[in-house]
């Protein structure tokens, strides 16, 4: 195909196997297979089960994405793959498959950072990111406030990160205490709709005048919710009110800090991404507070909030169009890679390292 190549993106960092196809910032097709049901009875993701599920799902998911896009494998002009962070075995499956495809097709391979993929997911719905913008990433393992300029070329500036439990992790752990199913985030969201968010006033961590203005800590909130549940031992637990109170506390902290960061840095756009960006209260409170502050809010559609191959393809597409160097032949994975650049090309012989685009 002439012009900018079609980029195939592969995501396998946790329990979703995703493939997506992007060209010139436009999503052509994508498919996702989740092994979540296999993990539910354990109350969390089991790495070995996730890795095996990726092995079984990789080829069917790629073929489904190609079919949705109306493309053939020979139309692919570049391959992008998540190289970190994530579960080691799961990442290895995706990288091995992506390397094989890039080799067979004789096209360049790009390693990308999983969290940068979440940021890029928004571009598939709303177009290029404003330069600069503030990005709030909220997922099961990560909660960060970032200052983003050119996502493909510039270093990503961390304004604040979680000090312990991430927001999604807090939801999962408290849901288990409340007797709700895994995954906890969607379960809390559904249950909270029947409750009163003002009935239980949970603490708002790190919101005091002397606290870290953009840092996050949800471990104490998790503990407060667990103790509240313990006080109801022997009598019916008002789960709906507890879920609503917990959700309100999380949404309050996230949106309060995000809007404050935009105001302090003179940034007119807030982008909220990641799995917890699908939470109904986080979305509605972000809309309310951004409108009051005169800040434009961008949130991807629900299908692009959770892990998917489209977001990886979106980053690959940005790297290709920016003229970034492809990954070396010995590119490996980094399960705990910090987010510094969108491109992530660790190599086994020297350890993990980010390669600027």
């Amino acid at each position: 195909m002439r012009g900018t190549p079609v980029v195939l993106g592969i995501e396998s960092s946790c329990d979703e196997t995703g493939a997506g196809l992007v060209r010139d910032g436009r999503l052509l097709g994508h498919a996702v297979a989740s092994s979540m049901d296999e993990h539910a009875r354990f109350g969390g993701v089991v790495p070995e089960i996730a890795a095996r599920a990726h092995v079984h799902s990789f080829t069917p998911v790629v073929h489904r994405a190609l079919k949705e896009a109306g493309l053939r494998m020979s139309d692919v002009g570049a391959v992008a793959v998540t190289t970190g962070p994530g579960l080691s075995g799961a990442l290895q499956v995706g990288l091995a498959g992506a390397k094989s495809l890039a080799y067979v097709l004789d096209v360049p391979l790009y390693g990308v950072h999983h969290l940068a993929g979440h940021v890029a997911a928004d571009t598939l719905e709303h177009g290029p990111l404003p330069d600069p913008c503030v990005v709030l990433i909220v997922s099961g393992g990560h909660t960060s406030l970032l200052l983003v300029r050119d996502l493909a070329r510039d270093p990503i500036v961390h304004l604040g990160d979680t000090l312990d439990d991430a927001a999604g992790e807090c939801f999962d752990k408290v849901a288990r205490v409340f007797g709700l199913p895994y995954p906890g985030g969607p379960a809390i969201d559904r249950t909270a709709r029947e409750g009163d968010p003002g009935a239980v006033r949970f603490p708002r961590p790190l919101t005091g005048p002397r606290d870290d203005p953009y840092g996050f800590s949800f471990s104490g909130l998790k503990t407060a919710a667990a103790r509240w549940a313990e006080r109801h031992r022997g009598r019916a637990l008002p789960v709906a009110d507890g879920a609503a109170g917990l959700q309100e506390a999380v949404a309050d902290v996230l949106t309060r800090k995000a809007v404050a960061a935009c105001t302090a840095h003179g940034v007119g756009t807030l982008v909220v991404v990641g799995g917890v960006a699908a939470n109904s209260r986080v979305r509605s409170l972000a809309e309310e507070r951004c409108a009051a502050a005169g800040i434009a809010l961008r949130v991807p559609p629900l299908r692009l909030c959770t892990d998917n191959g489209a977001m990886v393809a979106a980053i690959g597409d940005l790297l290709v169009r920016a003229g970034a160097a492809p990954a070396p032949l010995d590119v490996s994975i980094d399960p705990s890679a910090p987010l510094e650049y969108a491109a992530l090309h660790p190599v086994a012989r020297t350890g993990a390292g980010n390669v600027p685009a």
Side-chain angles (χ1 to χ4, degrees), residues 100-158:
S100 298
L101 290 176
Y103 177 79
V104 169
L105 298 171
D106 192 24
V107 299
L109 175 70
Y110 296 84
V112 306
H113 197 287
H114 175 79
L115 298 181
H118 276 301
V119 180
D122 182 73
T123 68
L124 300 175
E125 183 72 13
H126 299 118
L129 293 170
D131 179 3
C133 62
V134 168
V135 177
L136 172 64
I137 295 181
V138 238
S139 66
H142 305 274
T143 303
S144 298
L145 267 174
L146 312 171
L147 184 64
V148 175
R149 293 191 177 278
D150 187 319
L151 185 59
R153 294 184 174 90
D154 295 336
I156 295 167
V157 178
H158 288 246

Side-chain angles (χ1 to χ4, degrees), residues 257-355:
K257 287 176 177 275
V259 169
C262 290
T263 302
H265 289 82
V267 174
T269 301
L270 171 65
V271 184
V272 184
V273 299
V276 181
N279 179 272
S280 62
R281 184 54 181 154
V282 170
R283 295 169 83 96
S284 65
L285 192 55
E287 289 173 2
E288 177 185 321
R289 287 181 167 170
C290 282
I295 296 168
L297 175 67
R298 293 175 38 155
V299 186
L302 295 180
R303 73 184 190 282
L304 296 178
C305 286
T306 52
D307 294 350
N308 60 83
M311 69 186 201
V312 178
I315 277 288
D317 176 64
L318 289 174
L319 292 172
V320 168
R321 288 190 282 148
L329 293 177
D330 56 351
V331 65
S332 185
I333 62 165
D334 184 353
S336 57
L339 176 57
E340 298 171 350
Y341 289 91
L344 179 66
H345 295 164
V347 290
R349 67 173 181 270
T350 58
N354 290 359
V355 177

Side-chain angles (χ1 to χ4, degrees), residues 29-58:
H30 79 117
V32 178
S34 175
S35 59
M36 188 179 296
D37 290 345
E38 299 177 55
H39 306 284
R41 64 193 178 100
F42 300 102
V45 176
V46 180
E48 178 63 21
I49 292 176
R52 289 173 184 245
H54 290 308
V55 172
H56 291 297
S57 299
F58 184 93

Side-chain angles (χ1 to χ4, degrees), residues 226-266:
R227 288 179 176 171
W228 173 80
E230 287 174 4
R231 290 197 294 271
H232 288 80
R233 187 172 297 173
R235 51 199 173 98
L237 180 68
V239 177
D241 286 345
L246 176 76
Q247 182 172 262
E248 191 67 22
V250 171
D252 181 17
V253 172
L254 292 174
T255 58
R256 185 190 308 189
K257 287 176 177 275
V259 169
C262 290
T263 302
H265 289 82

Side-chain angles (χ1 to χ4, degrees), residues 15-30:
D15 58 347
E16 276 101 9
T17 310
L21 294 137
V22 171
R23 184 183 189 187
D24 282 330
R26 186 167 69 91
L27 178 59
L28 306 176
H30 79 117

